Each structure stands twice: as structure tokens, then as C-alpha cells.
Amino acid sequence: VSGVTDPFLQVKILRVLRVLGQGSVDAADDMNYILAQVATNTEGTKNAGNAILYECVQTIMAIEAESGLRVLGINILGRFLLNHDPNIRYVALTTLQKVVRVDLKAVQRHRDMILDCLKADNDPSIRKRALDVAYALVNEDNVKNMTKELQNHLITAESDGFKDDLVMRICACIEQHAPNRRWQVDNLIRVMCLAGDMVPP
């Protein structure tokens, strides 16, 4: 299909590998090479190839894969964010949201692309999912930069449900990860100025 050999069979095999590899370090070690080959040799320009790559990433994240293989899987999701098909971007963001708990550093490398999905996408479901992933990336080390980025999106956000969610997430970031009290107050005031009555009490 579209130049990809037996994509349905490959997807089924990857799902079987996922089941066999869960909870078994030995099985995962045996699968690492195969999964790396599938991840690097599958062409991602067609939907059939993207389906195989998606299942490969799901398998990598479900088993006890080596860290280098997990990074390769996360990089595939990063490439999905550049795809013009909104369905592929949505799937990538949904998977990244789950993967943040497994390998935060690898997902952080794609932070700019995730933030671009907040402003560049007309699809509200993609913007919402990008906001969820961006929120999951915030920690004590990057709270200042991430809060500033999210506040910049607040300036241009439309007055729909997304803007409400954005305000709530920014306030939660400020409350949870503020480096000091002064920074916390300054940023809460800035959010109030930008969002007005949308700020929660």
C-alpha cells in the first residue's frame, strides 16, 4: 500500500511485540534492534508508513526499551508535529502527553514545535492537546520561559473555551512552580491584565 509492504501485517506484528515485551526486560532487549530498524527504515511520507511508525512508537514506549530507542520514538513524534495532516499532529500530541512521564528531557527538545501548535493551528482540539502537553512540560527549571510563552499566546488567543483553559493552566504553572513570591505575584498580575475576568478567584 503506497509503497509500504504489508502495512496491516506490520502493524499487527508490532502490537504482538508490544504485548510480549511488556514487563520483560529480556524480551525488550531482544526487540530493541528490530524496533530500531522499523523506526529508521519506514518511510513516513504516506499514511501507511505513518501508521507503522505510530505503532512502533507505541511499542517502544510500552516495553522496557533502551533510552536511545525511546528518544528515537519521541523524535518520530516530533516529526509528526511537522506533518500537514491535523490527525497526525493530534495523534503525536496525544502520545507525547503520555510519554512526558516516561522521558521528560526527550520531549522537552520538541517544546518549540509543541508551542507552535498553540498558535499556528486552527483546529481547537490540536490547540487544546498542545496546551496539555506544554503544561506537562513545565517544571521549576523552565517555569519562567514557559510562563512567558504561554502568556504570549494569551495575548492572541480567541475568547473561546481555549482562552479559559489557557488562563487556568498559566495560573496553575505560576502557583505550582514559582521560584519566589515576587515573581509569582508579578505574573499573576500580568495574567489578570491580559485575561481580565477570566482569571479564577
Side-chain angles (χ1 to χ4, degrees):
V1 178
S2 300
V4 179
T5 307
D6 294 323
F8 298 105
L9 178 62
Q10 288 189 53
V11 165
K12 291 287 186 188
I13 290 171
L14 287 166
R15 288 179 181 169
V16 169
L17 289 176
R18 186 180 323 151
V19 171
L20 294 174
Q22 285 181 337
S24 172
V25 176
D26 292 336
D29 286 342
D30 293 338
M31 293 177 201
N32 282 333
Y33 177 76
I34 295 166
L35 293 172
Q37 290 300 310
V38 171
T40 54
N41 295 329
T42 302
E43 184 63 43
T45 57
K46 305 282 186 197
N47 280 341
N50 286 329
I52 293 167
L53 288 172
Y54 172 73
E55 289 299 332
C56 185
V57 170
Q58 292 285 34
T59 302
I60 290 168
M61 296 305 161
I63 66 171
E64 303 291 325
E66 333 176 308
S67 63
L69 190 57
R70 280 198 313 269
V71 170
L72 177 62
I74 291 168
N75 288 341
I76 290 169
L77 295 174
R79 284 199 316 259
F80 281 1
L81 291 177
L82 300 173
N83 198 302
H84 295 295
D85 185 346
N87 295 320
I88 293 173
R89 286 197 309 275
Y90 184 83
V91 164
L93 289 166
T94 301
T95 308
L96 283 170
Q97 186 178 7
K98 296 174 189 170
V99 171
V100 165
R101 293 183 289 271
V102 177
D103 197 339
L104 177 66
K105 280 187 177 181
V107 178
Q108 286 279 9
R109 291 186 196 121
H110 302 284
R111 185 173 69 194
D112 291 339
M113 286 185 283
I114 293 164
L115 290 171
D116 284 346
C117 289
L118 285 174
K119 62 182 171 190
D121 214 296
N122 293 328
D123 188 333
S125 62
I126 291 178
R127 285 190 319 225
K128 170 85 172 85
R129 188 63 64 197
L131 178 59
D132 293 340
V133 178
Y135 176 72
L137 291 176
V138 178
N139 59 31
E140 287 78 15
D141 298 329
N142 65 14
V143 67
K144 290 181 179 181
N145 290 335
M146 288 293 286
T147 302
K148 185 175 182 180
E149 287 283 343
L150 293 173
Q151 287 173 350
N152 289 341
H153 290 294
L154 185 57
I155 295 168
T156 59
E158 298 170 11
S159 294
D160 57 1
F162 175 72
K163 191 168 186 176
D164 293 338
D165 289 343
L166 184 56
V167 169
M168 296 289 279
R169 292 301 175 99
I170 293 170
C171 290
C173 290
I174 292 169
E175 291 290 326
Q176 293 171 7
H177 303 290
N180 57 58
R181 192 75 172 149
R182 180 183 174 122
W183 183 88
Q184 181 180 16
V185 171
D186 288 347
N187 278 276
L188 285 173
I189 290 171
R190 182 159 193 252
V191 172
M192 283 185 232
C193 292
L194 294 172
D197 60 351
M198 290 185 176
V199 178

